[in-house]
Amino acid sequence: MMRWVEVDGERYPATQGEQLRDERVVDGARVWHPRRSKAAAALVKDVEMPLEDARVLYLGGGAGTTPSYVADLARAVYAVEFAPSPAKRMVEVAETRDRLFPIFADARDPSEYAPVVEEVDILYQDVATRGQAEVAVKNAPFLRDGGRAYVVVKARSEDVTAEPAEKYEEVADRLGDVFDVDRTVDLSPFYDDHAVVVARR
Amino acid sequence: MTPWFERGTDADAVERAFDEGGEPAARDLPEQAVEEGVFGTREEYYDALHEATVEAARRRVDDAVDTAERDVINAVRTLESLNEQLNEVDERVRDWRDETGRVPVEDVVEAREALEEGRDETRGFIEERTPELAPNLSNLAGPVLAARLVALAGGLDELARMPSSTVQVLGAEDALFRHLRGDAPPPKHGVIYVHPYVRETSADERGSAARALAGKLTIAARVDRYAGDLRPELADELDEKIERIRGRDG
Ligand SMILES: C[S@@+](CC[C@H](N)C(=O)[O-])C[C@H]1O[C@@H](n2cnc3c(N)ncnc32)[C@H](O)[C@@H]1O
């Protein structure tokens, strides 16, 4: 279950689960800090994310930090990461969460993990690379009808000189081909030049 | 498409399923597995999937880390060799030109250019791959020095296990042996000498700077080996430390 806890006068989300390295614990709950996780930043910025008991496809799992929080809430989390060093840590994190399934693969080629990933309620993506929209589009078939997509856009991944707002719009446009785009939420002040596009299948 | 559980219920099955692939689609795989009688319940399905994906991912990641490490080590040794060859050829060609005013064998000039191209490409490869293998070490040392340290230690694992006093003198083995024989003072630094924080620190404080740098590099190597995420604060801490050391003199 997700809770909200007060830390230094701010309200942050928190989850119940085995503690990982150097995170804060308040009242027995793991503080999900909006500066350490874009999903937490989105939650603090009032993005509704029905993670509880959901089946989640998580693209760009990194070292497993955010996936660990998601796995505290969800029924099943499929976390895809393609860089060996963070993936190594993600596998260790997955060992502490029995519904976190680590997948060492390139999210640009979802056919590789198609025999393992089931229908999901939520597609969450934080890959911070060129062609971010394309990755989400390729993985859209895993999402059930009415399922939700959260696509983190890093403006500078696409083009260092472009205006962030223009980049967000471009990504949202492309997502519009396969999703119903709901809105784009800027993640400042927690992350500069980052936004999350919220969409529905 | 054949779902993973129709190939078995362990990591081998998951690996075979990855190799085979399939069409992405929204399918209730736990339901299907239960219907086919492979598992009694959805919970059993998830338990088996967890064990299988963790093991399969671990195998593949370990393989990839291993390959990445070999690539980086071989590339940096090749880079050193190419640099030596280039220096040698340059010296020969300079002598030749000094004596006769020209170098009448065109292929020599071309060979030199090819060496240079090979060197630049090898360096580019190191700059791309080392941060993937060791993001924090690369961030602090720069990719080429990071790769040299990994190569001298014989691997990231080995580097992460070394005390920082050993990291400090990696590459100065000859000087270390002379010292151990009683013929020389202990070396203050090995290859980390090429780092601006050592080279550009005044001679008086260079030993302290080398010790501080080696300390942070050791931590960075451990984070890379055991955690894997990039922690920019390590570089900030090092910057501060060096500033303090340099502030002591003058
Ligand atoms: C910003 S990090 C994710 C951090 C993570 N979401 C967290 O908060 O803990 C982006 C990650 O996406 C990964 N990535 C980028 N492109 C990818 C791809 N095509 N397939 C899989 N992973 C990818 C990168 O290696 C990196 O680890």
Side-chain angles (χ1 to χ4, degrees):
Chain A
M1 219 188 41
M2 198 176 84
R3 288 166 39 191
W4 289 84
V5 295
E6 221 183 275
V7 180
D8 310 327
E10 306 279 349
R11 259 166 53 85
Y12 294 148
T15 65
Q16 218 77 40
E18 189 178 317
Q19 197 190 342
L20 295 183
R21 188 192 56 225
D22 59 55
E23 69 200 4
R24 286 180 76 165
V25 173
V26 173
D27 295 336
R30 306 171 63 215
V31 177
W32 197 358
H33 202 287
R35 284 189 195 282
R36 291 191 158 199
S37 165
K38 285 153 219 157
L43 288 167
V44 171
K45 295 208 72 176
D46 286 329
V47 171
E48 196 205 339
M49 227 185 274
L51 293 168
E52 251 128 54
D53 204 37
R55 300 163 296 175
V56 181
L57 176 56
Y58 191 122
L59 306 176
T65 313
T66 302
S68 76
Y69 288 96
V70 175
D72 285 346
L73 302 167
R75 188 192 325 170
V77 181
Y78 300 86
V80 181
E81 170 59 49
F82 78 162
S85 288
K88 201 174 168 83
R89 174 67 187 156
M90 188 179 79
V91 173
E92 288 167 7
V93 171
E95 286 182 272
T96 69
R97 300 283 185 292
D98 60 6
R99 294 299 179 257
L100 177 53
F101 310 112
I103 296 173
F104 180 53
D106 189 336
R108 286 170 299 195
D109 183 14
S111 65
E112 198 183 341
Y113 46 82
V116 170
V117 174
E118 64 177 309
E119 171 186 83
V120 296
D121 306 297
I122 290 183
L123 172 66
Y124 181 92
Q125 176 181 309
D126 179 15
V127 295
T129 42
R130 230 159 232 291
Q132 300 167 90
E134 233 42 57
V135 173
V137 168
K138 282 186 181 160
N139 284 273
F142 292 112
L143 197 57
R144 72 166 165 81
D145 277 343
R148 299 180 196 217
Y150 301 86
V151 179
V152 174
V153 184
K154 182 181 176 190
R156 281 167 306 170
S157 288
E158 299 281 329
D159 178 351
V160 276
T161 59
E163 274 302 305
E166 276 170 36
K167 271 300 143 193
Y168 303 155
E169 206 178 301
E170 198 181 301
V171 171
D173 270 358
R174 176 67 180 111
L175 294 176
D177 294 341
V178 295
F179 301 99
D180 287 330
V181 175
D182 193 8
R183 61 190 181 125
T184 299
V185 181
D186 193 299
L187 295 181
S188 63
F190 307 112
Y191 290 91
D192 292 335
D193 297 332
H194 282 79
V196 59
V197 180
V198 185
R200 222 177 256 275
R201 180 89 164 126
Chain B
M1 186 213 59
T2 313
W4 71 281
F5 52 81
E6 290 182 1
R7 299 173 186 277
T9 56
D10 57 6
D12 292 337
V14 165
E15 289 208 75
R16 278 196 296 272
F18 280 156
D19 290 341
E20 201 67 31
E23 193 65 28
R27 279 176 300 249
D28 193 344
L29 296 181
E31 180 74 19
Q32 189 184 333
V34 171
E35 264 170 24
E36 291 176 17
V38 183
F39 297 104
T41 63
R42 299 177 75 101
E43 294 312 307
E44 280 173 28
Y45 171 88
Y46 282 138
D47 288 342
L49 180 62
H50 186 253
E51 202 169 307
T53 49
V54 166
E55 177 59 26
R58 197 201 334 265
R59 284 183 200 163
R60 294 197 162 206
V61 168
D62 284 351
D63 261 11
V65 170
D66 211 56
T67 306
E69 188 174 284
R70 280 165 206 273
D71 279 345
V72 161
I73 291 175
N74 280 296
V76 81
R77 288 185 180 149
T78 304
L79 180 69
E80 278 163 32
S81 156
L82 287 167
N83 272 329
E84 281 163 22
Q85 290 177 56
L86 262 168
N87 284 339
E88 215 166 294
V89 171
D90 280 349
E91 222 171 289
R92 285 274 82 74
V93 168
R94 202 179 317 120
D95 284 352
W96 196 339
R97 194 168 278 132
D98 282 352
E99 284 171 31
T100 69
R102 78 220 197 291
V103 178
V105 182
E106 197 161 313
D107 283 356
V108 169
V109 180
E110 264 168 39
R112 195 219 165 267
E113 266 162 30
L115 277 176
E116 191 170 53
E117 225 169 85
R119 192 233 359 231
D120 293 348
E121 242 173 75
T122 307
R123 190 188 289 137
F125 181 86
I126 293 168
E127 284 168 352
E128 189 186 313
R129 298 302 178 85
T130 315
E132 289 171 13
L133 176 74
N136 291 288
L137 193 64
S138 298
N139 194 35
L140 264 53
V144 174
L145 176 56
R148 287 179 80 183
L149 289 167
V150 171
L152 284 165
L156 184 57
D157 223 16
E158 287 74 5
L159 186 64
R161 282 176 217 271
M162 282 179 177
S164 86
S165 54
T166 305
V167 174
Q168 192 179 332
V169 295
L170 268 181
E173 284 70 20
D174 291 349
L176 191 62
F177 287 132
R178 276 199 301 279
H179 167 63
L180 293 176
R181 266 206 321 261
D183 296 345
K188 288 197 189 67
H189 38 66
V191 284
I192 65 168
Y193 178 75
V194 303
H195 196 290
Y197 278 173
V198 179
R199 208 184 45 219
E200 290 165 19
T201 295
S202 68
D204 282 352
E205 301 293 349
R206 201 169 289 151
S208 309
R211 200 170 327 115
L213 176 63
K216 275 289 176 245
L217 293 179
T218 306
I219 293 169
R222 290 176 190 164
V223 173
D224 289 337
R225 170 61 186 80
Y226 301 110
D229 55 320
L230 176 66
R231 303 195 192 159
E233 65 267 23
L234 289 177
D236 300 337
E237 289 162 18
L238 176 62
D239 292 350
E240 264 172 48
K241 237 186 177 154
I242 297 293
E243 218 164 281
R244 238 179 299 135
I245 289 170
R246 287 181 176 174
R248 286 204 300 242
D249 57 32

